[in-house]
């Protein structure tokens, strides 16, 4: 049918052409005269008519010629007027054709590109005269950039017929637009096209290679170029000295990010450099490929550029602090196990020195040897104190990282005796010699508090440590003498709230009673604004609760100098030579108080500072009392404040009923399977167990533990101490197999350096009978053995163990 239609059109054209040529006067142009010369020659007339038909054909025609000897690549030789009307004028794609094939320029999807290339290759490789020389490629999506409607890019689908010329080996592409609802859709899009093309803000599209696909009239007005000079050109041609920035913009856009207010300098046609702000994101096609950018550009003042730089600097500062958080968290995760090994080793060596001192006294060794033992014991005690602080720091950073990630802390509530809590907290703080420390109880409140003891003690320890040890160079507060620090535990009658106040005051004229009175007044009113001398609410979080540097990071900043100054302060704080603090204690305390249901407040006056918070309590009464933890200038012993140690609690003895029902085995030491991949940790734990008269066996990973139980069911273990993170098979999987596949009822206690709520919940769900964190000290190990193996040391060993502890 197509051949018949072409033949019929050629006959009509021949008749029309002859009539036209006969009527042409002698004023005809040279081209017309040349065409007239061919009239009368049937072959020339046919050639002329064929060219005329091709140029005015309703099909989009592209003539390709081979650009190499093997015919594997092509270059565009000619496109007809219909192609330029329906798809794109030649000048708009000339620049793109220099670096890539016509197929890549025409198609918008990888699938369409592959289908069209495959059809051309099939037509090109077919034998002369074969039917396969005419190949179809249907529904190929084309991004049209025609002059109609100002060249706004429109995607259309075309059916293509690819043929090969037998005479000159040219490849011809015949494109027919798919007309299904095309006219109606064009009418619907006309208003939207007009909206974008005549918008008061400059708009343009860029391809993934940075070629300008389209720009509206406003952008042409701003830059002064014509569409022929701008569209189809690399955007880099119009951004002098901005190559790195443009590449970074494409990097951000290619990562799926949206950029906003990014300053870029453009060169106009008359050579001026104009500063512009770019907002852009990416349009992806249905296959998730980069289709084009959607860029809005605005001419702005230097102030706007200043603001953009300030915002970028602030975001970079926040990202840097987040990277610091992640680095510290990941690094300390690897440090945790060696620190635990050191702590266990020091504990064991201290026990050995106690035994050595007892033997030295009994054997009456020389005074030099006794002095050497005492000196080494002191060194171990100091080393143990530093290791303890390192472990606390690791735990603090881990807890703060969870809170920053919006993880909910799992509270383990218990009945806490407040007097003992206060004494124990002071024992964990190094109090300077020139500071008087006191613990005060106000009447009317509860003697006990049902809360998480670990977190409450951590809060009070950090608040006290800040008040007695932190150096505040901005106010020159801690350089003054006559300082006294008081931990005050009281209550508020309204609402039955147990209150905690940590007060540091300077001078003889300022008393803690005056400060407490002022704080209570502020608590009652609770309507002051944030700042010095005012109570701080969570919505006005002050600098002092910021981690690392105590510098407040605002949500928004528009002054670049202010952003730069803030970043320099943060860098100076992080690079500070104060190696004994990371400035995370107060930030952690603030979040922990919120987790316990309280609100940490801060009062700052010229001669005093006070931290206060409250936790709900029961209605039982508190005794009113006050006593000094350590008077000022009294010589301090190693380890901070000293208290009378708590009495030794003797493990519960076996009942007569247990002895009768279980026989002699009730008095036998248990057999313990230790599953631990770190040899040093295993050796320390095995040594502790051997000192407690236990029989032991060591498995280096979970698979070995499973094999022990599977291959030798007769080897009955009374308890299994299972590490969690191990190679080959971890403790979680090993416990699952032992409990659910081998149906072993032996108690399994998780023993790990991780203390997070998520790992605890995982262990509980899988079937662990207990959970303990490393390092497991001797008294805690005895508690585990008694709880899960019902083992109690014989009387003689109890006395020896009590003396060791």
């Amino acid at each position: 049918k197509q051949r018949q239609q072409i033949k019929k059109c050629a006959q009509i054209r021949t008749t029309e052409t002859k009539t036209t040529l006969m009527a042409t006067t002698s004023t005809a142009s040279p081209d017309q005269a040349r065409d007239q010369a061919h009239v009368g020659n049937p072959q020339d007339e046919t050639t002329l008519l064929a060219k005329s038909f091709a140029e005015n054909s309703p099909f989009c025609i592209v003539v390709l010629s081979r650009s190499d000897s093997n015919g594997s690549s092509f270059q565009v030789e000619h496109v007809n007027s219909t192609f330029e009307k329906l798809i794109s004028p030649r000048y708009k794609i000339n620049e793109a054709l220099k670096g890539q094939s016509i197929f890549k320029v025409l198609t918008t999807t990888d699938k369409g590109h592959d289908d069209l290339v495959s059809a051309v290759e099939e037509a090109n490789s077919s034998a002369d005269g074969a039917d396969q020389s005419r190949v179809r490629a249907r529904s190929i999506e084309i991004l049209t950039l025609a002059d109609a409607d100002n060249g706004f890019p429109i995607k259309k689908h075309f059916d293509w017929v690819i043929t090969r010329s037998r005479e000159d080996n040219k490849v011809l592409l015949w494109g027919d637009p798919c007309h299904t609802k095309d006219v109606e859709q064009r009418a619907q899009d006309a208003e939207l096209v007009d909206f974008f093309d005549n918008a008061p803000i400059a708009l343009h599209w860029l391809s993934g290679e940075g070629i300008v696909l389209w720009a509206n009239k406003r952008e042409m007005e701003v830059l002064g170029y014509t569409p022929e000079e701008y569209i189809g050109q690399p955007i880099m041609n119009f951004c002098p000295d901005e190559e790195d920035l443009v590449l970074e913009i494409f990097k951000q856009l290619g990562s799926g990010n949206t950029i906003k207010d990014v300053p870029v300098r453009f060169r106009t046609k008359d050579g001026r450099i104009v500063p512009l702000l770019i907002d852009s994101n990416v349009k992806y096609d249905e296959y998730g490929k980069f289709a084009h950018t959607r860029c809005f550009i605005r001419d702005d003042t230097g102030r706007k550029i200043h603001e953009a730089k300030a915002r970028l600097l602030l975001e970079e500062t926040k990202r840097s602090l987040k990277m610091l958080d992640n680095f510290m968290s990941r690094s300390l995760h690897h440090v945790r196990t060696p620190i635990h090994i050191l702590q266990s080793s020091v504990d064991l060596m201290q026990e050995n020195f106690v035994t050595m001192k007892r033997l030295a006294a009994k054997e009456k060794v020389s005074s030099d040897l006794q002095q050497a033992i005492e000196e080494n014991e002191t060194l171990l005690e100091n080393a143990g104190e530093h290791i303890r602080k390192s472990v606390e720091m690791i735990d603090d950073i881990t807890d703060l990282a969870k809170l920053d990630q919006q993880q909910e802390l799992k509270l383990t509530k218990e009945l806490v005796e407040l007097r003992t809590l206060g004494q124990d907290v002071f024992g964990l703080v190094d109090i300077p010699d020139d500071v008087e420390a006191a613990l005060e109880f106000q009447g009317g409140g509860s003697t006990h508090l049902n809360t998480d003891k670990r977190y409450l003690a951590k809060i009070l320890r950090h608040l006290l440590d800040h008040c007695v040890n932190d150096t505040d160079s901005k106010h020159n507060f801690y350089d003054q003498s006559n300082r006294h620090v008081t931990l005050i535990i009281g209550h508020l009658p309204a609402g039955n709230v147990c209150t905690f106040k940590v007060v540091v005051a300077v001078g003889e004229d300022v008393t803690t009673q005056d400060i407490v009175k002022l704080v209570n007044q502020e608590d009652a009113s609770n309507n002051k604004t944030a700042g010095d001398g005012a109570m701080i609410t969570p919505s006005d979080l002050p600098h002092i609760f910021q981690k690392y540097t105590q510098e407040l990071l605002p949500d928004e900043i528009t002054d670049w100098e202010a952003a730069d100054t803030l970043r320099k302060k943060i860098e100076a704080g992080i690079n500070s030579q104060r190696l004994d603090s990371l400035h995370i204690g107060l930030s952690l305390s603030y979040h922990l108080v919120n987790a316990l249901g309280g609100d940490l407040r801060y009062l700052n006056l010229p001669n005093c500072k006070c931290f206060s918070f409250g936790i709900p309590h029961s209605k039982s009464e508190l005794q009113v009392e006050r006593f000094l933890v350590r008077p000022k200038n009294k010589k301090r012993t190693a380890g901070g404040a000293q208290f009378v140690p708590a009495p030794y609690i003797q493990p519960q003895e076996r009942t007569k009923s247990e002895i009768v029902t279980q026989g002699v085995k009730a008095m036998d030491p248990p057999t313990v399977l230790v599953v631990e991949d770190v040899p040093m940790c295993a050796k320390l734990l095995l040594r502790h167990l051997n000192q407690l008269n236990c029989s032991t066996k060591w498995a280096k990973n979970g698979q070995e533990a499973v094999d022990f139980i599977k291959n030798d069911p007769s080897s009955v273990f009374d308890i299994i101490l299972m590490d969690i993170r191990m190679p080959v098979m971890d403790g979680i999987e090993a416990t699952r197999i032992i409990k659910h596949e081998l149906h072993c009822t032996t108690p399994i206690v998780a023993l790990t350096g991780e203390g997070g709520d998520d790992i605890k919940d995982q262990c509980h769900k899988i079937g662990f009978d207990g959970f303990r964190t490393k390092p497991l000290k001797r008294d805690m190990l005895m508690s585990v053995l008694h709880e899960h193996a019902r083992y109690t040391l014989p009387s003689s060993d109890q006395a020896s163990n009590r003396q060791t502890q």
Side-chain angles (χ1 to χ4, degrees):
K1 290 181 180 180
Q2 186 178 15
R3 289 175 178 173
Q4 292 175 357
Q5 182 181 3
I6 293 174
K7 184 176 181 180
K8 184 176 181 181
C9 290
Q11 294 173 350
I12 296 174
R13 289 286 187 178
T14 301
T15 304
E16 293 176 349
T17 302
K18 289 181 178 180
T19 303
T20 301
L21 294 175
M22 291 173 63
T24 303
T25 65
S26 59
T27 59
S29 64
D31 291 339
Q32 291 174 331
R34 185 166 54 254
D35 291 341
Q36 293 176 20
H38 293 291
V39 176
N41 186 332
Q43 184 176 357
D44 292 340
E45 289 181 5
T46 302
T47 302
L48 178 63
L49 289 173
K51 290 182 178 181
S52 176
F53 172 77
E55 186 66 24
N56 298 283
S57 170
F59 298 99
C60 299
I61 299 177
V62 182
V63 180
L64 303 179
S65 61
R66 296 183 178 88
S67 59
D68 54 11
S69 58
N70 56 14
S72 60
S73 60
F74 300 88
Q75 62 182 10
V76 178
E77 187 171 300
H78 179 72
V79 296
N80 70 344
S81 60
T82 306
F83 180 95
E84 294 192 335
K85 290 179 182 179
L86 297 182
I87 296 181
S88 173
R90 181 68 179 268
Y91 75 88
K92 289 189 178 182
I93 62 174
N94 280 340
E95 186 68 26
L97 289 175
K98 293 180 181 179
Q100 51 191 339
S101 68
I102 181 64
F103 313 117
K104 191 68 175 178
V105 174
L106 288 178
T107 58
T108 62
T109 65
D110 291 340
K111 182 178 184 302
H113 172 268
D114 295 342
D115 291 347
L116 189 57
V117 170
S118 176
V120 171
E121 291 178 348
E122 182 179 353
N124 183 50
S125 61
S126 61
D128 291 340
D131 293 338
Q132 287 81 2
S133 62
R134 185 175 66 253
V135 182
R136 294 182 180 273
R138 297 181 180 274
S139 298
I140 304 300
E141 188 179 76
I142 303 297
L143 188 65
T144 63
L145 305 169
D147 284 334
D149 296 317
N150 301 301
F152 190 85
I154 299 295
K155 292 181 179 179
K156 287 187 176 183
H157 289 77
F158 283 73
D159 291 337
W160 292 92
V161 176
I162 299 92
T163 62
R164 189 184 62 157
S165 173
R166 300 179 184 177
E167 292 80 9
D168 51 8
N169 288 328
K170 299 285 193 301
V171 175
L172 280 70
L173 279 72
W174 302 68
D176 187 20
C178 302
H179 294 288
T180 305
K181 297 184 179 180
D182 185 62
V183 176
E184 294 82 0
Q185 187 64 45
R186 188 75 177 191
Q188 295 175 10
D189 293 341
E191 185 175 353
L192 184 62
V193 171
D194 178 74
F195 172 81
F196 283 108
D197 197 47
N198 296 286
I201 189 171
L203 312 173
H204 67 254
W205 287 7
L206 300 179
S207 68
E209 294 76 26
I211 303 298
V212 181
L213 300 177
W214 170 82
N216 70 348
K217 293 179 180 178
R218 177 57 184 164
E219 183 150 337
M220 296 293 98
E221 293 172 0
V222 170
L223 300 179
Y225 296 102
T226 64
E228 292 81 3
E229 295 169 335
Y230 191 69
I231 299 175
Q233 300 295 320
I235 193 65
M236 204 73 74
N237 292 351
F238 309 97
C239 300
D241 305 325
E242 297 283 9
E243 181 176 356
D244 293 339
L245 181 59
V246 173
L247 292 176
E248 181 62 26
I249 290 174
F250 269 87
K251 179 180 177 181
Q252 293 293 328
L253 294 175
S255 300
N257 298 323
T258 297
I259 63 171
K260 184 177 181 181
D261 291 340
V262 178
V264 178
R265 298 185 306 155
F266 271 70
R267 183 178 58 235
T268 63
K269 185 176 181 179
D270 58 8
R272 292 182 298 109
I273 302 297
V274 293
L276 301 173
L277 294 179
I278 292 183
D279 301 340
S280 182
N281 59 10
V282 175
K283 168 68 170 63
Y284 293 93
D285 61 21
E286 58 183 339
Y287 304 101
K289 301 294 185 180
F290 190 112
H292 59 79
T293 66
R294 294 173 288 209
C295 298
F296 294 70
I297 64 174
R298 293 173 286 115
D299 191 2
D300 210 345
T301 62
R303 182 181 62 86
K304 284 291 185 180
I305 297 177
H306 219 54
E307 292 177 1
K309 291 181 178 179
R311 294 190 187 99
L312 291 174
L313 185 59
L314 178 62
E315 291 301 320
E316 179 61 29
T317 302
K318 291 180 179 180
R319 283 195 296 268
S320 298
L321 290 176
K322 187 175 181 180
M323 291 174 62
L324 178 60
D325 286 339
N326 294 335
F327 172 76
M328 293 182 65
S329 179
R330 292 177 62 87
S331 299
L332 292 179
H333 174 75
H334 297 287
V335 174
R336 185 187 296 271
T337 296
I339 288 290
H340 287 164
I341 293 175
L342 284 174
Q343 188 173 18
S344 298
S345 301
V346 169
D347 292 342
L348 187 58
M349 293 175 69
Q350 285 179 317
E351 295 172 3
N352 292 339
F353 270 105
V354 171
T355 304
M356 291 173 62
K357 287 177 64 176
R358 185 172 65 250
L359 293 176
K362 183 183 296 186
E363 299 294 335
K364 298 181 180 180
V365 299
S366 65
S367 59
D368 292 340
L369 180 57
Q370 289 183 352
Q371 183 179 358
I373 293 175
E374 292 175 357
E375 290 177 353
N376 284 287
E377 185 180 17
T378 302
L379 290 174
L380 276 177
E381 184 178 350
N382 292 333
E385 181 68 15
H386 285 288
I387 293 174
R388 179 186 66 79
K389 291 181 179 180
S390 299
V391 173
E392 291 174 352
M393 180 188 68
I394 293 174
D395 293 339
D396 290 345
I397 293 175
T398 302
D399 290 337
L400 187 57
K402 294 177 182 178
L403 292 166
D404 285 341
Q405 296 170 5
Q406 305 299 320
Q407 294 185 19
E408 183 178 355
L409 291 180
K410 185 175 182 181
L411 303 179
T412 304
K413 292 189 175 182
E414 58 181 299
L415 201 60
V416 180
E417 205 280 316
L418 295 177
R419 177 199 293 255
T420 303
L421 173 69
Q423 293 177 341
D424 292 345
V425 168
F426 267 106
L428 300 175
V429 179
D430 291 332
I431 304 175
D433 293 335
D434 61 343
V435 175
E436 180 184 89
L439 177 62
E440 180 176 322
F441 294 92
Q442 297 177 334
S446 174
T447 58
H448 292 74
L449 187 63
N450 188 26
T451 187
D452 191 299
K453 181 178 180 180
R454 171 175 171 261
Y455 287 140
L456 180 57
K458 181 174 291 191
I459 294 167
L460 296 176
R461 174 174 63 84
H462 282 303
L463 297 181
L464 285 170
D465 181 73
H466 174 82
C467 288
V468 301
N469 291 315
D470 194 44
T471 57
D472 191 343
S473 58
K474 288 185 290 187
H475 300 289
N476 197 27
F477 181 79
Y478 292 102
D479 294 336
Q480 303 181 40
S481 59
N482 296 323
R483 283 190 296 153
H484 41 96
V485 177
T486 306
L487 170 59
I488 305 170
I489 302 178
H491 87 293
L492 289 176
N496 293 319
V497 176
C498 182
T499 62
F500 298 85
K501 299 179 179 68
V502 179
V503 179
V504 55
V506 175
E508 299 294 341
D509 297 334
V510 181
T511 64
T512 56
Q513 288 77 10
D514 296 334
I515 298 173
V516 170
K517 182 178 179 180
L518 178 60
V519 172
N520 289 339
Q521 290 175 354
E522 295 288 350
D523 281 336
S525 60
N526 196 20
N527 59 0
K528 303 294 184 181
T529 59
D532 287 348
M535 302 308 300
I536 303 301
T537 62
S539 60
D540 302 307
L541 189 64
H543 298 148
I544 200 167
F545 291 131
Q546 302 299 321
K547 60 185 176 181
Y548 300 135
T549 63
Q550 296 183 354
E551 293 293 339
L552 182 62
L553 281 175
D555 293 332
E556 182 74 12
I557 192 168
T558 58
D559 187 357
W560 187 87
E561 285 78 9
D564 185 58
T565 301
L566 175 63
R567 184 177 180 86
K568 289 179 179 178
K569 286 182 178 180
I570 292 176
E571 290 178 352
I574 293 175
N575 296 328
S576 171
Q577 298 301 314
R578 291 189 66 248
L579 301 179
D580 59 333
S581 174
L582 291 175
H583 276 306
I584 64 173
L586 294 183
S587 179
L588 177 61
S589 298
Y590 180 83
H591 291 292
L592 290 179
V593 168
N594 287 341
L596 295 179
D599 177 16
L600 182 59
R601 300 168 180 266
Y602 172 61
L603 180 67
N604 185 11
L605 293 174
N607 294 319
C608 70
K609 288 187 178 183
C610 177
F611 296 93
S612 63
F613 62 94
I615 298 177
H617 71 87
S618 61
K619 295 184 179 181
S620 58
E621 295 294 315
L622 259 178
Q623 300 285 330
V624 179
E625 57 182 322
R626 171 184 171 85
F627 57 90
L628 289 180
V629 175
R630 186 183 58 76
K632 184 174 63 174
N633 294 327
K634 182 177 180 180
K635 191 65 177 178
R636 212 161 27 108
T637 58
Q642 301 295 315
F643 296 94
V644 177
Y648 172 74
I649 301 176
Q650 180 173 322
Q652 182 180 354
E653 296 284 355
R654 293 294 181 118
T655 64
K656 300 297 183 182
S657 174
E658 290 174 331
I659 297 176
V660 171
T661 56
Q662 300 181 23
V664 177
K665 184 172 178 57
M667 307 300 296
D668 290 342
T671 300
V672 183
L673 175 60
V674 175
V675 188
E676 170 64 63
D677 64 309
V678 181
M680 190 62 186
C681 290
K683 290 178 181 178
L684 291 171
L685 185 55
L686 293 171
R687 183 163 183 174
H688 278 307
L689 290 169
N690 292 334
Q691 290 178 347
L692 296 175
N693 301 327
C694 298
S695 300
T696 59
K697 195 165 187 177
W698 176 28
K700 297 181 179 63
N701 53 65
Q703 184 62 57
E704 288 190 9
V706 172
D707 293 340
F708 284 159
I709 297 175
K710 182 186 298 184
N711 299 332
D712 190 7
S714 61
S715 60
V716 179
F717 298 104
D718 297 291
I719 185 173
I720 300 174
L721 301 180
M722 180 78 71
D723 189 20
I724 299 299
R725 307 298 181 192
M726 295 180 291
V728 184
M729 181 185 291
D730 60 33
I732 299 291
E733 178 65 13
T735 301
R736 186 193 67 78
I737 295 175
I738 293 172
K739 289 286 188 180
H740 302 292
E741 294 185 11
L742 302 181
H743 305 289
C744 179
T745 59
T746 301
I748 303 179
V749 178
L751 189 59
T752 178
E754 303 178 45
D757 297 332
D758 51 347
I759 193 67
K760 289 181 181 178
D761 293 339
Q762 191 176 3
C763 290
H764 176 72
K765 291 178 182 179
I766 207 67
F768 279 89
D769 298 277
F771 185 93
R772 294 292 187 275
T773 56
K774 297 177 182 178
L776 195 63
K777 294 186 177 181
R778 187 186 182 95
D779 56 345
M780 184 60 68
L781 181 59
M782 291 175 57
S783 174
V784 170
L785 294 176
H786 178 73
E787 179 181 355
H788 297 283
R790 304 299 299 170
Y791 173 63
T792 303
L793 281 174
S795 301
S796 59
D797 291 332
Q798 288 179 13
S800 175
N801 186 67
R802 185 184 305 112
Q803 186 175 7
T804 300
Q805 292 196 34

